[in-house]
Amino acid sequence: CMEKHDGNEDNPNAKTIEVLQQMATYYDRIGDRWRTMAYRKAIGALRKQSQLVRTKEEARAIPQIGDSLAEKIEEIVTTNRLRKLEYTKLDSNDQVLQLFMGIYQVGYPTASKWIAQGHRTLDDLRQNVDLNTNQRIGLEHYVDFQQRIPRAEVTEHAAIVEKALKAADDGLQMIVGGSYRRGNKDSGDIDLIITKEGASLELVRTLMMELVIPALTDQDFLKVKLAGGEAHEQASKWHGASALPGAKTWRRIDLLFVPWAELGAALIYFTGNDIFNRSLRLLASRKEMRLNQHGLYADVMRGRGRERITDGKLLEGQDEKRIFEILGVPYQPPEHRKC
Ligand code: DCP
Ligand code: MG
Ligand code: MN
């Protein structure tokens, strides 16, 4: 990944970093943003050390590392393992947590609340919890949404959408993004990036919301809307479920509305993977630039607390390759964008 450009492969703290990374991944998965951040900061700081950090005192001397992480670092170096990580893997509540978090839009707070209320199975939830509409749909289609979608089926869904796009407006264009664009043999959902040459977001959204989505719903391809469409911050997406004609299995589908001027930045964002995106953004910020799904910007003004005051000057939004070029990174084809 991008980290390779930092030349840190032979770090003396490689083992410690590996263990801490597993903890960070765990906390990230359960949605504990605070601990995830603390671990990531510590990992970042350890990467910069030229010596092995052995004791908690040595670790504590590094500003980004607090007491509790310092103790864990000493434990890893002296015992070559971390008990906390092993307990974490064995924790049976964690398995229920994972089961519940597999429901569409159910995150750590909701899942852990249900566990605290004594629920342990999907049937418990069905019978005893007052679920909202999306949670109910997510639960009804739990098995569907958990299944990987074979690449060939993603292609078929995309072809149906493409046909509806052309019928609504000849100029509408579609690119299959996400794991499919990275060349994966199966995907968790179907990510379709939709744009039109020269068009604003407003135009793409109007065509989609007024023509394409109603048509695809009428022909019974789109089954249900889960999010998107109207409210301002959701204006550029439509999340829902689709099924091939005659098929019983519903698939998760994300339609992403993109103005022509932002296509390159949107392609990078929606191709991922998410870790690749994070490392590319970090690289941009190190070069005093900012990358998001709308574009690459320079001269971002920041206040005293590093908070952003202005977006800065747009350097590039339209051309995906040009964004890599300005960042000074060799162009990575989508198949290489896995970290
Ligand atoms: N994305 C991101 N950060 C997130 C969520 C998404 O950068 N927190 C970007 C990168 C993803 C892309 O959006 O590749 C699509 O998101 P998906 O959740 O659909 O993930 P993938 O398509 O990569 O994988 P999957 O096969 O599980 O759908
Ligand atoms: Mg996807
Ligand atoms: Mn998606």
Side-chain angles (χ1 to χ4, degrees):
C1 188
M2 295 295 114
E3 312 277 71
K4 290 195 189 105
H5 296 276
D6 295 342
N8 263 344
E9 284 107 335
D10 302 320
N11 193 293
N13 295 288
K15 173 70 189 178
T16 312
I17 290 170
E18 185 202 313
V19 175
L20 296 182
Q21 187 59 57
Q22 289 186 51
M23 290 297 293
T25 304
Y26 166 75
Y27 284 125
D28 190 34
R29 187 161 48 75
I30 68 169
D32 188 333
R33 302 181 74 169
W34 191 85
R35 284 200 174 79
T36 307
M37 280 288 286
Y39 274 88
R40 291 214 175 112
K41 274 193 194 142
I43 291 165
L46 278 180
R47 283 216 172 93
K48 296 205 189 89
Q49 304 299 313
S50 50
Q51 307 268 316
L52 174 65
V53 179
R54 279 176 206 282
T55 65
K56 57 175 182 287
E57 289 74 23
E58 285 170 10
R60 197 63 190 82
I62 301 168
Q64 294 86 348
I65 297 177
D67 288 331
S68 134
L69 264 155
E71 279 173 18
K72 291 188 177 68
I73 288 168
E74 184 175 283
E75 182 185 338
I76 296 165
V77 176
T78 49
T79 68
N80 212 28
R81 57 193 267 259
L82 182 63
R83 279 163 307 164
K84 171 94 179 161
L85 177 63
E86 281 151 31
Y87 296 148
T88 298
K89 285 176 177 165
L90 290 174
D91 189 351
S92 71
N93 267 357
D94 183 45
Q95 285 175 21
V96 182
L97 205 59
Q98 273 197 58
L99 176 76
F100 290 175
M101 285 174 72
I103 302 169
Y104 175 74
Q105 266 182 5
V106 172
Y108 178 77
T110 308
S112 54
K113 183 185 76 189
W114 288 338
I115 291 173
Q117 290 168 349
H119 306 297
R120 291 290 179 274
T121 66
L122 296 182
D123 268 336
D124 285 347
L125 301 182
R126 262 182 217 112
Q127 287 157 19
N128 303 315
V129 174
D130 195 14
L131 300 166
N132 70 31
T133 309
N134 280 358
Q135 289 166 348
R136 194 154 288 289
I137 295 165
L139 194 52
E140 275 166 24
H141 294 274
Y142 191 90
V143 177
D144 286 6
F145 292 168
Q146 284 285 313
Q147 274 172 41
R148 306 290 300 172
I149 313 168
R151 189 174 178 83
E153 190 184 329
V154 178
T155 309
E156 285 186 73
H157 286 249
I160 290 171
V161 174
E162 177 130 55
K163 203 167 157 204
L165 292 175
K166 297 301 171 202
D169 183 315
D170 231 8
L172 283 169
Q173 300 181 19
M174 183 199 77
I175 298 156
V176 189
S179 46
Y180 181 96
R181 189 165 183 247
R182 298 197 304 275
N184 288 15
K185 66 180 200 321
D186 51 40
S187 294
D189 68 354
I190 301 155
D191 299 298
L192 303 178
I193 297 157
I194 291 152
T195 189
K196 175 185 159 122
E197 192 167 335
S200 64
L201 173 61
E202 194 53 47
L203 177 56
V204 177
R205 178 179 53 235
T206 306
L207 290 168
M208 291 303 293
M209 295 308 294
E210 289 180 7
L211 298 173
V212 179
I213 289 167
L216 287 169
T217 306
D218 283 348
Q219 71 187 70
D220 209 25
F221 169 74
L222 292 179
K223 299 292 185 181
V224 70
K225 179 178 109 166
L226 293 164
E230 314 93 353
H232 189 67
E233 78 267 28
Q234 309 219 319
S236 60
K237 67 173 192 191
W238 188 96
H239 289 185
S242 58
L244 294 177
K248 281 204 285 294
T249 308
W250 287 18
R251 303 302 198 180
R252 278 275 302 106
I253 186 166
D254 290 342
L255 306 175
L256 311 154
F257 313 155
V258 174
W260 183 251
E262 297 177 3
L263 180 59
L267 274 173
I268 290 178
Y269 180 75
F270 291 118
T271 299
N273 62 13
D274 53 348
I275 297 171
F276 177 86
N277 286 352
R278 241 182 270 147
S279 61
L280 212 53
R281 283 171 186 212
L282 183 65
L283 194 97
S285 78
R286 285 198 189 124
K287 301 193 172 184
E288 308 288 314
M289 292 185 259
R290 176 171 135 89
L291 178 67
N292 62 23
Q293 72 183 82
H294 306 291
L296 178 66
Y297 302 85
D299 306 326
V300 180
M301 263 187 44
R302 291 188 189 270
R304 289 184 173 186
R306 297 284 297 156
E307 79 279 9
R308 205 159 15 87
I309 296 173
T310 66
D311 261 349
K313 182 172 82 108
L314 177 68
L315 295 173
E316 183 62 49
Q318 219 286 316
D319 188 328
E320 190 182 24
K321 289 194 168 146
R322 184 79 190 117
I323 292 175
F324 281 89
E325 206 174 292
I326 300 171
L327 283 171
V329 182
Y331 177 74
Q332 314 264 338
E335 307 80 56
H336 290 174
R337 300 182 202 169
K338 337 185 175 189
C339 289

Short mmCIF file of all heavy atoms in Angstrom, two decimals, residues 63-105:
data_model
loop_
_atom_site.label_atom_id
_atom_site.label_comp_id
_atom_site.label_asym_id
_atom_site.label_seq_id
_atom_site.Cartn_x
_atom_site.Cartn_y
_atom_site.Cartn_z
N PRO A 63 5.12 10.83 23.10
CA PRO A 63 3.93 11.63 23.42
C PRO A 63 2.60 10.99 23.00
O PRO A 63 1.60 11.13 23.69
CB PRO A 63 4.15 12.93 22.64
CG PRO A 63 5.60 12.98 22.34
CD PRO A 63 6.12 11.59 22.33
N GLN A 64 2.57 10.25 21.90
CA GLN A 64 1.30 9.70 21.41
C GLN A 64 0.89 8.43 22.14
O GLN A 64 -0.13 7.83 21.82
CB GLN A 64 1.40 9.38 19.90
CG GLN A 64 1.56 10.58 19.00
CD GLN A 64 3.02 10.99 18.85
OE1 GLN A 64 3.90 10.54 19.58
NE2 GLN A 64 3.28 11.89 17.91
N ILE A 65 1.69 7.97 23.09
CA ILE A 65 1.39 6.71 23.76
C ILE A 65 1.06 6.95 25.24
O ILE A 65 1.84 7.53 25.97
CB ILE A 65 2.57 5.72 23.61
CG1 ILE A 65 2.77 5.39 22.12
CG2 ILE A 65 2.32 4.45 24.43
CD1 ILE A 65 3.92 4.49 21.82
N GLY A 66 -0.12 6.49 25.66
CA GLY A 66 -0.57 6.65 27.04
C GLY A 66 -0.18 5.46 27.90
O GLY A 66 0.44 4.50 27.42
N ASP A 67 -0.58 5.50 29.18
CA ASP A 67 -0.18 4.48 30.15
C ASP A 67 -0.61 3.08 29.75
O ASP A 67 0.17 2.15 29.78
CB ASP A 67 -0.80 4.79 31.53
CG ASP A 67 -0.13 5.99 32.16
OD1 ASP A 67 1.07 6.22 31.86
OD2 ASP A 67 -0.79 6.70 32.93
N SER A 68 -1.90 2.97 29.36
CA SER A 68 -2.42 1.64 29.15
C SER A 68 -1.78 1.00 27.91
O SER A 68 -1.43 -0.19 27.92
CB SER A 68 -3.95 1.74 29.07
OG SER A 68 -4.43 1.02 28.00
N LEU A 69 -1.56 1.79 26.89
CA LEU A 69 -0.89 1.25 25.70
C LEU A 69 0.58 0.95 25.99
O LEU A 69 1.14 -0.02 25.48
CB LEU A 69 -1.02 2.23 24.53
CG LEU A 69 -2.19 1.85 23.63
CD1 LEU A 69 -2.74 3.04 22.88
CD2 LEU A 69 -1.76 0.77 22.66
N ALA A 70 1.21 1.77 26.83
CA ALA A 70 2.62 1.56 27.18
C ALA A 70 2.78 0.19 27.86
O ALA A 70 3.71 -0.57 27.56
CB ALA A 70 3.12 2.68 28.07
N GLU A 71 1.83 -0.14 28.75
CA GLU A 71 1.90 -1.44 29.43
C GLU A 71 1.74 -2.58 28.43
O GLU A 71 2.40 -3.61 28.53
CB GLU A 71 0.80 -1.54 30.50
CG GLU A 71 1.21 -0.84 31.78
CD GLU A 71 0.07 -0.79 32.79
OE1 GLU A 71 -0.90 -1.56 32.65
OE2 GLU A 71 0.17 0.06 33.71
N LYS A 72 0.84 -2.38 27.48
CA LYS A 72 0.62 -3.43 26.50
C LYS A 72 1.86 -3.64 25.64
O LYS A 72 2.22 -4.76 25.29
CB LYS A 72 -0.59 -3.10 25.63
CG LYS A 72 -1.89 -3.18 26.42
CD LYS A 72 -3.09 -3.04 25.51
CE LYS A 72 -4.39 -3.20 26.30
NZ LYS A 72 -4.63 -2.07 27.23
N ILE A 73 2.54 -2.54 25.31
CA ILE A 73 3.75 -2.65 24.49
C ILE A 73 4.81 -3.47 25.24
O ILE A 73 5.42 -4.38 24.67
CB ILE A 73 4.27 -1.24 24.11
CG1 ILE A 73 3.31 -0.61 23.08
CG2 ILE A 73 5.69 -1.30 23.56
CD1 ILE A 73 3.52 0.85 22.83
N GLU A 74 4.96 -3.18 26.53
CA GLU A 74 5.94 -3.95 27.32
C GLU A 74 5.55 -5.43 27.35
O GLU A 74 6.39 -6.31 27.20
CB GLU A 74 6.04 -3.39 28.74
CG GLU A 74 7.12 -4.10 29.55
CD GLU A 74 7.32 -3.48 30.92
OE1 GLU A 74 7.96 -2.41 31.01
OE2 GLU A 74 6.82 -4.06 31.91
N GLU A 75 4.25 -5.68 27.53
CA GLU A 75 3.80 -7.08 27.56
C GLU A 75 4.11 -7.80 26.24
O GLU A 75 4.58 -8.94 26.24
CB GLU A 75 2.29 -7.14 27.84
CG GLU A 75 1.78 -8.57 27.93
CD GLU A 75 0.26 -8.67 28.11
OE1 GLU A 75 -0.37 -7.70 28.57
OE2 GLU A 75 -0.29 -9.73 27.75
N ILE A 76 3.88 -7.12 25.13
CA ILE A 76 4.14 -7.75 23.82
C ILE A 76 5.62 -8.06 23.66
O ILE A 76 6.01 -9.15 23.25
CB ILE A 76 3.66 -6.84 22.67
CG1 ILE A 76 2.14 -6.66 22.72
CG2 ILE A 76 4.07 -7.43 21.31
CD1 ILE A 76 1.62 -5.51 21.87
N VAL A 77 6.47 -7.09 24.03
CA VAL A 77 7.90 -7.29 23.83
C VAL A 77 8.43 -8.37 24.76
O VAL A 77 9.26 -9.18 24.36
CB VAL A 77 8.67 -5.95 24.04
CG1 VAL A 77 10.18 -6.17 23.94
CG2 VAL A 77 8.23 -4.93 23.00
N THR A 78 7.92 -8.42 26.01
CA THR A 78 8.49 -9.39 26.94
C THR A 78 7.88 -10.78 26.79
O THR A 78 8.54 -11.77 27.08
CB THR A 78 8.35 -8.92 28.41
OG1 THR A 78 7.00 -8.51 28.62
CG2 THR A 78 9.28 -7.76 28.71
N THR A 79 6.62 -10.88 26.36
CA THR A 79 5.99 -12.21 26.28
C THR A 79 5.69 -12.64 24.85
O THR A 79 5.23 -13.76 24.63
CB THR A 79 4.66 -12.25 27.06
OG1 THR A 79 3.71 -11.41 26.37
CG2 THR A 79 4.83 -11.77 28.49
N ASN A 80 5.93 -11.75 23.91
CA ASN A 80 5.68 -12.03 22.50
C ASN A 80 4.19 -12.23 22.22
O ASN A 80 3.82 -12.82 21.21
CB ASN A 80 6.49 -13.25 22.04
CG ASN A 80 6.88 -13.10 20.58
OD1 ASN A 80 7.03 -11.97 20.09
ND2 ASN A 80 7.02 -14.20 19.87
N ARG A 81 3.32 -11.85 23.15
CA ARG A 81 1.88 -11.92 22.91
C ARG A 81 1.16 -10.88 23.75
O ARG A 81 1.80 -10.22 24.59
CB ARG A 81 1.35 -13.32 23.23
CG ARG A 81 1.62 -13.78 24.66
CD ARG A 81 1.36 -15.27 24.79
NE ARG A 81 -0.01 -15.50 25.24
CZ ARG A 81 -0.35 -15.80 26.50
NH1 ARG A 81 0.57 -15.89 27.45
NH2 ARG A 81 -1.60 -15.99 26.83
N LEU A 82 -0.14 -10.76 23.53
CA LEU A 82 -0.94 -9.83 24.32
C LEU A 82 -2.18 -10.57 24.78
O LEU A 82 -3.00 -10.98 23.95
CB LEU A 82 -1.30 -8.60 23.47
CG LEU A 82 -2.09 -7.49 24.16
CD1 LEU A 82 -1.29 -6.86 25.30
CD2 LEU A 82 -2.46 -6.40 23.15
N ARG A 83 -2.30 -10.77 26.13
CA ARG A 83 -3.44 -11.54 26.63
C ARG A 83 -4.77 -10.93 26.21
O ARG A 83 -5.69 -11.62 25.82
CB ARG A 83 -3.38 -11.65 28.15
CG ARG A 83 -2.41 -12.74 28.65
CD ARG A 83 -2.08 -12.51 30.11
NE ARG A 83 -1.60 -11.13 30.27
CZ ARG A 83 -1.50 -10.49 31.43
NH1 ARG A 83 -1.85 -11.09 32.53
NH2 ARG A 83 -1.04 -9.25 31.48
N LYS A 84 -4.83 -9.59 26.27
CA LYS A 84 -6.07 -8.88 25.93
C LYS A 84 -6.57 -9.26 24.52
O LYS A 84 -7.76 -9.43 24.30
CB LYS A 84 -5.81 -7.37 26.03
CG LYS A 84 -6.92 -6.50 25.52
CD LYS A 84 -7.86 -6.08 26.62
CE LYS A 84 -8.95 -5.20 26.05
NZ LYS A 84 -10.10 -5.11 26.92
N LEU A 85 -5.62 -9.39 23.60
CA LEU A 85 -6.00 -9.74 22.22
C LEU A 85 -6.58 -11.15 22.20
O LEU A 85 -7.57 -11.42 21.51
CB LEU A 85 -4.79 -9.65 21.30
CG LEU A 85 -5.02 -10.05 19.84
CD1 LEU A 85 -6.03 -9.13 19.16
CD2 LEU A 85 -3.71 -10.03 19.05
N GLU A 86 -5.99 -12.06 22.96
CA GLU A 86 -6.48 -13.43 22.98
C GLU A 86 -7.86 -13.53 23.62
O GLU A 86 -8.73 -14.24 23.12
CB GLU A 86 -5.44 -14.35 23.63
CG GLU A 86 -4.34 -14.66 22.62
CD GLU A 86 -2.97 -14.93 23.23
OE1 GLU A 86 -2.92 -15.47 24.35
OE2 GLU A 86 -1.97 -14.60 22.57
N TYR A 87 -8.07 -12.80 24.72
CA TYR A 87 -9.41 -12.79 25.34
C TYR A 87 -10.43 -12.24 24.35
O TYR A 87 -11.54 -12.75 24.23
CB TYR A 87 -9.46 -11.89 26.58
CG TYR A 87 -8.59 -12.34 27.72
CD1 TYR A 87 -8.00 -11.41 28.57
CD2 TYR A 87 -8.35 -13.70 27.94
CE1 TYR A 87 -7.19 -11.82 29.63
CE2 TYR A 87 -7.54 -14.11 28.99
CZ TYR A 87 -6.96 -13.17 29.83
OH TYR A 87 -6.18 -13.56 30.85
N THR A 88 -10.03 -11.19 23.68
CA THR A 88 -10.92 -10.54 22.73
C THR A 88 -11.41 -11.52 21.68
O THR A 88 -12.58 -11.55 21.33
CB THR A 88 -10.16 -9.37 22.07
OG1 THR A 88 -9.82 -8.45 23.08
CG2 THR A 88 -10.99 -8.69 21.01
N LYS A 89 -10.47 -12.35 21.21
CA LYS A 89 -10.85 -13.32 20.18
C LYS A 89 -11.79 -14.39 20.73
O LYS A 89 -12.58 -14.98 20.00
CB LYS A 89 -9.59 -13.99 19.62
CG LYS A 89 -8.81 -13.07 18.67
CD LYS A 89 -7.54 -13.75 18.22
CE LYS A 89 -6.78 -12.90 17.22
NZ LYS A 89 -5.40 -13.38 17.06
N LEU A 90 -11.67 -14.68 22.06
CA LEU A 90 -12.47 -15.75 22.66
C LEU A 90 -13.83 -15.27 23.16
O LEU A 90 -14.73 -16.07 23.40
CB LEU A 90 -11.71 -16.35 23.85
CG LEU A 90 -10.48 -17.17 23.49
CD1 LEU A 90 -9.74 -17.59 24.75
CD2 LEU A 90 -10.86 -18.41 22.69
N ASP A 91 -13.92 -13.98 23.37
CA ASP A 91 -15.11 -13.41 23.99
C ASP A 91 -16.37 -13.80 23.23
O ASP A 91 -16.54 -13.50 22.07
CB ASP A 91 -14.95 -11.89 23.96
CG ASP A 91 -16.02 -11.20 24.78
OD1 ASP A 91 -16.95 -11.90 25.21
OD2 ASP A 91 -15.90 -9.99 24.99
N SER A 92 -17.30 -14.51 23.93
CA SER A 92 -18.46 -15.02 23.19
C SER A 92 -19.47 -13.90 22.91
O SER A 92 -20.18 -13.95 21.93
CB SER A 92 -19.11 -16.16 23.94
OG SER A 92 -19.77 -15.63 25.08
N ASN A 93 -19.52 -12.91 23.80
CA ASN A 93 -20.36 -11.75 23.48
C ASN A 93 -19.95 -11.14 22.16
O ASN A 93 -20.77 -10.59 21.44
CB ASN A 93 -20.23 -10.69 24.57
CG ASN A 93 -21.32 -10.85 25.62
OD1 ASN A 93 -22.17 -11.72 25.49
ND2 ASN A 93 -21.28 -10.00 26.62
N ASP A 94 -18.66 -11.25 21.88
CA ASP A 94 -18.17 -10.70 20.62
C ASP A 94 -18.82 -11.39 19.43
O ASP A 94 -19.08 -10.77 18.41
CB ASP A 94 -16.65 -10.83 20.58
CG ASP A 94 -16.06 -10.20 19.32
OD1 ASP A 94 -16.49 -9.07 19.00
OD2 ASP A 94 -15.22 -10.82 18.67
N GLN A 95 -19.10 -12.70 19.60
CA GLN A 95 -19.74 -13.41 18.49
C GLN A 95 -21.19 -12.96 18.30
O GLN A 95 -21.65 -12.81 17.17
CB GLN A 95 -19.67 -14.91 18.71
CG GLN A 95 -18.26 -15.42 18.44
CD GLN A 95 -18.10 -16.89 18.77
OE1 GLN A 95 -19.08 -17.63 18.83
NE2 GLN A 95 -16.87 -17.30 18.97
N VAL A 96 -21.90 -12.71 19.41
CA VAL A 96 -23.26 -12.20 19.30
C VAL A 96 -23.21 -10.78 18.72
O VAL A 96 -24.03 -10.41 17.87
CB VAL A 96 -23.97 -12.19 20.67
CG1 VAL A 96 -25.40 -11.69 20.53
CG2 VAL A 96 -23.97 -13.59 21.28
N LEU A 97 -22.22 -10.04 19.18
CA LEU A 97 -22.03 -8.68 18.67
C LEU A 97 -21.88 -8.71 17.15
O LEU A 97 -22.53 -7.96 16.42
CB LEU A 97 -20.77 -8.11 19.32
CG LEU A 97 -20.62 -6.61 19.45
CD1 LEU A 97 -21.75 -6.02 20.27
CD2 LEU A 97 -19.29 -6.28 20.12
N GLN A 98 -21.04 -9.62 16.69
CA GLN A 98 -20.83 -9.74 15.25
C GLN A 98 -22.09 -10.14 14.52
O GLN A 98 -22.38 -9.66 13.44
CB GLN A 98 -19.75 -10.77 14.98
CG GLN A 98 -18.36 -10.20 15.02
CD GLN A 98 -17.39 -11.15 14.35
OE1 GLN A 98 -17.56 -11.50 13.18
NE2 GLN A 98 -16.41 -11.59 15.09
N LEU A 99 -22.85 -11.08 15.14
CA LEU A 99 -24.11 -11.53 14.56
C LEU A 99 -25.06 -10.34 14.38
O LEU A 99 -25.60 -10.12 13.29
CB LEU A 99 -24.75 -12.59 15.48
CG LEU A 99 -26.12 -13.13 15.09
CD1 LEU A 99 -25.98 -14.13 13.94
CD2 LEU A 99 -26.80 -13.81 16.29
N PHE A 100 -25.21 -9.55 15.47
CA PHE A 100 -26.15 -8.42 15.42
C PHE A 100 -25.65 -7.31 14.49
O PHE A 100 -26.43 -6.67 13.80
CB PHE A 100 -26.39 -7.87 16.83
CG PHE A 100 -27.20 -8.79 17.73
CD1 PHE A 100 -27.41 -8.47 19.07
CD2 PHE A 100 -27.76 -9.96 17.24
CE1 PHE A 100 -28.16 -9.31 19.90
CE2 PHE A 100 -28.51 -10.81 18.06
CZ PHE A 100 -28.70 -10.49 19.39
N MET A 101 -24.33 -7.09 14.51
CA MET A 101 -23.80 -6.04 13.64
C MET A 101 -23.84 -6.42 12.16
O MET A 101 -23.62 -5.58 11.30
CB MET A 101 -22.37 -5.66 14.07
CG MET A 101 -22.36 -4.83 15.35
SD MET A 101 -20.71 -4.51 16.00
CE MET A 101 -20.08 -3.35 14.79
N GLY A 102 -24.15 -7.69 11.90
CA GLY A 102 -24.33 -8.11 10.51
C GLY A 102 -25.66 -7.65 9.93
O GLY A 102 -25.89 -7.75 8.72
N ILE A 103 -26.55 -7.12 10.78
CA ILE A 103 -27.82 -6.58 10.29
C ILE A 103 -27.56 -5.21 9.68
O ILE A 103 -26.85 -4.40 10.29
CB ILE A 103 -28.85 -6.46 11.44
CG1 ILE A 103 -29.08 -7.83 12.09
CG2 ILE A 103 -30.17 -5.87 10.94
CD1 ILE A 103 -29.87 -7.75 13.39
N TYR A 104 -28.12 -4.97 8.54
CA TYR A 104 -27.88 -3.70 7.85
C TYR A 104 -28.13 -2.52 8.78
O TYR A 104 -29.17 -2.46 9.43
CB TYR A 104 -28.78 -3.61 6.61
CG TYR A 104 -28.68 -2.28 5.89
CD1 TYR A 104 -27.55 -1.97 5.13
CD2 TYR A 104 -29.68 -1.32 6.00
CE1 TYR A 104 -27.45 -0.74 4.50
CE2 TYR A 104 -29.58 -0.10 5.36
CZ TYR A 104 -28.46 0.18 4.61
OH TYR A 104 -28.35 1.40 3.98
N GLN A 105 -27.17 -1.62 8.84
CA GLN A 105 -27.27 -0.38 9.61
C GLN A 105 -27.30 -0.56 11.12
O GLN A 105 -27.59 0.38 11.86
CB GLN A 105 -28.49 0.45 9.20
CG GLN A 105 -28.10 1.47 8.15
CD GLN A 105 -29.27 2.34 7.75
OE1 GLN A 105 -30.37 2.28 8.31
NE2 GLN A 105 -29.05 3.18 6.75
#
